[in-house]
Amino acid sequence: MAFEEKGWRGATFEHVSERAGVTRGALHHHFRSKAVLLEEALTWGWAEYGNRLFRNSETTLSALLTKFVTLVRDDALFRALAASTVLVAPQALSDRAEKNAALDTWRAQIAATLPSTGEADPETVAGLVLVLLQGLTVTAVTRPDDLPQPDELSATMTALARGLLT
């Protein structure tokens, strides 16, 4: 949340430790640099929320999209994770290998949720879903009012999922 609030430059070790309720020394003990702290926070955050999103092996594409939009719209920690990923990480982290590995894991998990209809290749659809999720993440950070509102969310995500699968 400190990175979302202050950005890369403003999220000093002092600010992060104050926000976390620990001493600066304790923070330095666990993280040798601010970049390592950001990288580990993003890795933990996306794994944690990925577990929430993919917890039920019978999750449908529509349910996955609905859960993602609900989290990114209503969960302050998830929104901070999204903002830090979209706005802060590109300024701070140059190694994309770990991010790509995480996205590949999500792609496989998404593909596993898709029915084998014969109409669309699950891997291709999973790739498109990843593009969509990344777009929703950017939207949550830059134009949150453009996200579907609760009263239209389920119907919108059902229609979107149907369109992606055909």
Side-chain angles (χ1 to χ4, degrees), residues 94-111:
S94 58
D95 182 15
R96 298 192 183 273
E98 192 167 336
K99 179 181 179 186
N100 286 334
L103 288 172
D104 289 342
T105 299
W106 274 48
R107 182 183 192 145
Q109 289 177 299
I110 292 166

Side-chain angles (χ1 to χ4, degrees), residues 2 6 34 40 71 76 124 136-137:
K6 298 288 187 172
K34 190 165 68 165
E40 289 191 27
L71 281 170
T124 301
L136 290 168
T137 301

